[in-house]
Amino acid sequence: MIEYKRSKILKILLVSAELLGLLIGLVPFLIGFLSGTGVEFNKARSSLEFARVIQVNTPLVFWLTFLLLLIVIFGLIFYQYRIFKKDLLEKQAKKLYTWDILRILGGVGIGYLIYELIIYLIINQLYFHGAFVSIPFILSIGIIIGTSLISFSDFHTVQIILYPLFKRILKKTETLKLTIYKPTLNYIKMAKNLVWVILGFIIIFPSLIPLMGLSPTSELQPSSGYGSQDRPFEVDTFQVENDLPENITAFVTPRNENNSWYIYYYLPRLSVATLSSTQNIPIALYCHGNSGQDVVEYDYSLRALASRGMAVIFVQYSRSFNYTKILEKVEVENDTEAYSFSSYIKYNMTWTGMFSAVNTLIGNNSLISSSELNETLGTDYTIDTSRILIIGHSVGGGMTLFIGSQVISEGWASQQLIFDLEAPTTSATWPSVNVNLSILPNYTMVNVIGYEDDTVLSPCDGMAQHERFFTRDNSIELNPDQVAFLLIRSDRYGFPRLVATHYLPNDPLIDTLSVFGYHRRIDAMASFLVADANSGTVVANDAKTYFQGGGENMIGMGLWSDGTPVLPLLYSTDPWGLRDGPNILNQLLDPDDEDCQL
């Protein structure tokens, strides 16, 4: 007869192990969220990266994970069976303390996985909208495995549930009786474990068909042409500090770790290329989103543009401001005006860096030495400031109007000017950055893109920007064919599910929608400008069909593996239906949404 009594601390830990694991994950997350460190965005990014790794070999991951679950469950049952078969029950009972420690560790693990699952479900609601089923599948499998370990290491539970079965199988007549801490079955504990198992299977069930590899898959990337890996140039990068005036930095808090903000250059490595004549290099100016200060968020896009032969400039701006100081030192009357002033800071941080960067490339300052530039660009090149591409995502999309006005005031973009606004905000209203688009040249070309499942900004914000560009702020209208509104639609037909979220341009979410709906277009824009600058008329005309006119090259999104077309982009030169054009508002959006009131 063996008597086993648990200490109070051990009892508390056994009861609260899952809660402890949950708090280990949740408390740091909440602290980071409340302190405004962007922990939720970083979590979304890491989840995206994890999902991308898994989705490369999803069926293999599924079967290995499912096999692991079966091995654990049947392995534990077989282990307990051997103990009973060899009459080792009493020997194992002496190890109850060790089993309890394992159960505590397992409970903490389950609690932490539950935290990961809860956060994932929240982030999924905000960002992913069901795009990834692999992450909840793996987390749920982990919870079920942990619950199995706890259940089968609970010696008393095993004795009551499994041993009668083993006894019947082996036809034993003797029963080893143990006096354990609780001589009766703990139904609450069993119910709790059962809840975790049921929850896990509920989450797993919708994932089974796609994860088994039985759903159609989408074409990730064209094998050649725009959006493919077929690039004419390799790319070099440079990082220099953005020298900002005090009237900007005084209101920014916190700064980067070393109190600096940076300008990034992505340049084509022409020095190793065989060129038949002087290479003219147009310029791309990239305005990042509000949470996209880290250049890695857009590295794929920046490299793609530079690899076509463009000089690409990316400038960091702050998302954190000292609003108390703004209210004290700036002539603002309320928080709304203070926020508008913060947009003024963002816009001017960006333009200050872009202006310095362009002047570096044309030799008017020495942020990068001429020897370093020549090592990358060679000596037979010309920086072409007459052809400019301005791309902006989210807040950066709203910023492009101001950046464009500054470009024009400098006398740049005298030959070609292209705007690409991805899920843009409306533009800032602070007087010195609230531009009038009547200054746009007649040759301006514009793509404004909304995403169907964008829960951060309404596509109607982009439609309002489209109307501003088309009418040039109610002055002389541009040619309708030059100003396109596109809506990228979600397509959940196969696997992976294709969901058009606000973060589609960010590097972690590189899938069929981002490649065909975004990367291919800006790739073609870059190719057009480079070809136009270097007398490549045929290439330039072909490239234009990918971002102008609404033809198949522009709106086609490839095929699912069973031949079904991925839902094409919706294209319109009149998304509000004001001029009898295709009314996107009534097709997919909510006309009653307050953001959709023109």
Side-chain angles (χ1 to χ4, degrees):
M1 186 75 68
I2 295 174
E3 185 175 355
Y4 174 61
K5 293 184 178 180
R6 298 182 175 100
S7 66
K8 289 184 179 179
I9 294 178
L10 193 61
K11 293 176 187 177
I12 293 173
L13 288 175
L14 283 167
V15 172
S16 61
E18 287 92 343
L19 178 61
L20 179 61
L22 179 65
L23 293 176
I24 288 173
L26 193 58
V27 170
F29 181 88
L30 289 177
I31 292 174
F33 178 78
L34 294 175
S35 61
T37 60
V39 65
E40 72 282 1
F41 187 79
N42 293 333
K43 191 68 176 176
R45 178 183 173 83
S46 62
S47 298
L48 283 167
E49 292 175 338
F50 180 63
R52 283 177 58 196
V53 171
I54 293 174
Q55 288 182 178
V56 174
N57 294 293
T58 300
L60 178 62
V61 171
F62 168 80
W63 289 112
L64 288 177
T65 308
F66 197 71
L67 180 62
L68 176 63
L69 174 61
L70 296 179
I71 289 173
V72 169
I73 293 176
F74 286 103
L76 286 167
I77 293 174
F78 181 71
Y79 176 70
Q80 296 290 354
Y81 174 77
R82 282 179 56 82
I83 291 173
F84 183 82
K85 182 178 181 181
K86 295 186 176 183
D87 293 326
L88 298 176
L89 190 58
E90 184 171 356
K91 181 179 178 181
Q92 291 298 312
K94 295 177 182 179
K95 301 180 180 179
L96 288 175
Y97 178 78
T98 303
W99 284 109
D100 279 348
I101 297 300
L102 291 175
R103 288 166 58 202
I104 291 171
L105 294 176
V108 170
I110 288 175
Y112 185 80
L113 289 174
I114 291 171
Y115 148 75
E116 290 283 356
L117 186 59
I118 291 172
I119 295 301
Y120 171 80
L121 294 175
I122 294 173
I123 291 176
N124 177 67
Q125 185 66 26
L126 294 174
Y127 302 131
F128 307 151
H129 296 269
F132 303 112
V133 294
S134 51
I135 294 177
F137 172 81
I138 289 178
L139 292 176
S140 298
I141 288 288
I143 291 172
I144 294 172
I145 289 175
T147 304
S148 300
L149 286 170
I150 290 176
S151 298
F152 291 122
S153 65
D154 184 344
F155 200 75
H156 187 256
T157 302
V158 171
Q159 182 191 12
I160 293 176
I161 297 177
L162 290 182
Y163 287 178
L165 174 63
F166 296 158
K167 178 181 176 182
R168 182 182 296 272
I169 294 174
L170 297 175
K171 297 182 179 179
K172 283 183 173 285
T173 57
E174 297 180 2
T175 301
L176 181 60
K177 295 181 180 180
L178 301 175
T179 303
I180 305 180
Y181 170 66
K182 270 196 174 182
T184 58
L185 191 60
N186 190 328
Y187 291 102
I188 295 178
K189 181 169 55 180
M190 289 191 63
K192 178 185 66 176
N193 291 340
L194 186 61
V195 166
W196 298 145
V197 172
I198 292 174
L199 175 65
F201 277 109
I202 288 175
I203 295 175
I204 285 172
F205 185 75
S207 310
L208 293 180
I209 297 299
L211 289 178
M212 289 170 67
L214 302 179
S215 296
T217 57
S218 60
E219 182 182 1
L220 177 60
Q221 190 173 45
S223 58
S224 61
Y226 306 121
S228 72
Q229 294 294 331
D230 183 17
R231 305 284 175 177
F233 302 111
E234 296 180 13
V235 175
D236 286 339
T237 62
F238 298 87
Q239 173 187 309
V240 300
E241 186 174 344
N242 191 3
D243 186 15
L244 296 166
E246 179 63 22
N247 65 350
I248 291 178
T249 57
F251 302 105
V252 176
T253 177
R255 298 186 182 185
N256 285 353
E257 291 180 2
N258 60 350
N259 291 338
S260 298
W261 296 94
Y262 292 108
I263 304 166
Y264 295 89
Y265 301 75
Y266 283 67
L267 303 176
R269 194 180 303 164
L270 305 180
S271 58
V272 298
T274 302
L275 302 173
S276 59
S277 61
T278 299
Q279 183 77 5
N280 295 310
I281 307 173
I283 297 171
L285 306 175
Y286 203 108
C287 308
H288 65 74
N290 199 47
S291 299
Q293 290 86 353
D294 194 335
V295 70
V296 300
E297 294 292 335
Y298 301 94
D299 181 77
Y300 188 91
S301 299
L302 303 173
R303 287 185 181 277
L305 294 168
S307 69
R308 287 292 173 191
M310 297 199 75
V312 186
I313 297 166
F314 177 96
V315 178
Q316 293 179 319
Y317 64 79
S318 178
R319 65 175 292 187
S320 300
F321 303 95
N322 188 332
Y323 287 102
T324 300
K325 188 175 290 188
I326 291 174
L327 289 168
E328 289 175 354
K329 296 191 174 184
V330 183
E331 294 182 4
V332 295
E333 297 181 357
N334 50 48
D335 290 342
T336 300
E337 289 188 4
Y339 179 79
S340 182
F341 181 77
S342 73
S343 295
Y344 160 86
I345 299 173
K346 294 176 186 178
Y347 287 21
N348 279 282
M349 286 183 74
T350 304
W351 173 245
T352 298
M354 289 178 172
F355 180 75
S356 296
V358 173
N359 277 284
T360 295
L361 295 175
I362 61 179
N364 290 344
N365 65 44
S366 56
L367 294 180
I368 303 175
S369 68
S370 58
S371 60
E372 288 180 291
L373 288 175
N374 291 342
E375 191 173 328
T376 292
L377 298 174
T379 57
D380 197 12
Y381 72 89
T382 300
I383 298 298
D384 185 0
T385 59
S386 70
R387 293 171 174 84
I388 302 286
L389 167 61
I390 305 174
I391 301 177
H393 173 218
S394 190
V395 169
M399 185 187 299
T400 59
L401 284 70
F402 170 73
I403 299 299
S405 72
Q406 297 300 105
V407 163
I408 293 169
S409 69
E410 290 298 323
W412 303 340
S414 59
Q415 297 294 319
Q416 298 288 356
L417 177 59
I418 302 177
F419 289 87
D420 182 79
L421 285 68
E422 303 287 331
T425 60
T426 54
S427 300
T429 56
W430 190 260
S432 61
V433 296
N434 187 16
V435 301
N436 189 301
L437 296 185
S438 61
I439 63 174
L440 291 177
N442 292 332
Y443 48 80
T444 303
M445 291 181 280
V446 183
N447 277 187
V448 182
I449 294 83
Y451 308 141
E452 182 180 1
D453 278 295
D454 189 338
T455 56
V456 178
L457 292 169
S458 170
C460 291
D461 288 344
M463 290 165 58
Q465 294 285 39
H466 172 275
E467 191 66 16
R468 288 193 63 186
F469 274 103
F470 172 69
T471 64
R472 286 194 270 197
D473 279 337
N474 299 312
S475 58
I476 301 174
E477 296 177 350
L478 286 171
N479 186 321
D481 289 340
Q482 295 174 204
V483 188
F485 180 83
L486 298 166
L487 186 69
I488 300 179
R489 293 189 285 176
S490 300
D491 192 337
R492 297 174 174 83
Y493 174 71
F495 181 82
R497 295 166 179 168
L498 305 178
V499 184
T501 72
H502 183 74
Y503 297 97
L504 189 143
N506 293 108
D507 275 9
L509 192 58
I510 296 178
D511 63 3
T512 299
L513 293 188
S514 65
V515 170
F516 283 83
Y518 161 65
H519 288 292
R520 187 175 64 173
R521 281 185 306 97
I522 65 170
D523 195 5
M525 291 174 180
S527 184
F528 167 79
L529 290 176
V530 171
D532 190 63
N534 292 281
S535 302
T537 306
V538 174
V539 173
N541 289 338
D542 176 65
K544 191 183 291 187
T545 64
Y546 287 84
F547 61 92
Q548 196 176 98
E552 179 60 27
N553 285 347
M554 187 177 186
I555 68 171
M557 297 290 285
L559 303 173
W560 293 98
S561 56
D562 64 356
T564 302
V566 176
L567 291 177
L569 307 184
L570 290 183
Y571 165 83
S572 179
T573 59
D574 180 24
W576 296 98
L578 301 176
R579 294 168 290 276
D580 298 324
N583 187 326
I584 289 180
L585 179 64
N586 290 334
Q587 290 185 57
L588 285 180
L589 304 178
D590 181 8
D592 296 326
D593 187 333
E594 62 179 15
D595 292 322
C596 294
Q597 308 304 311
L598 184 61

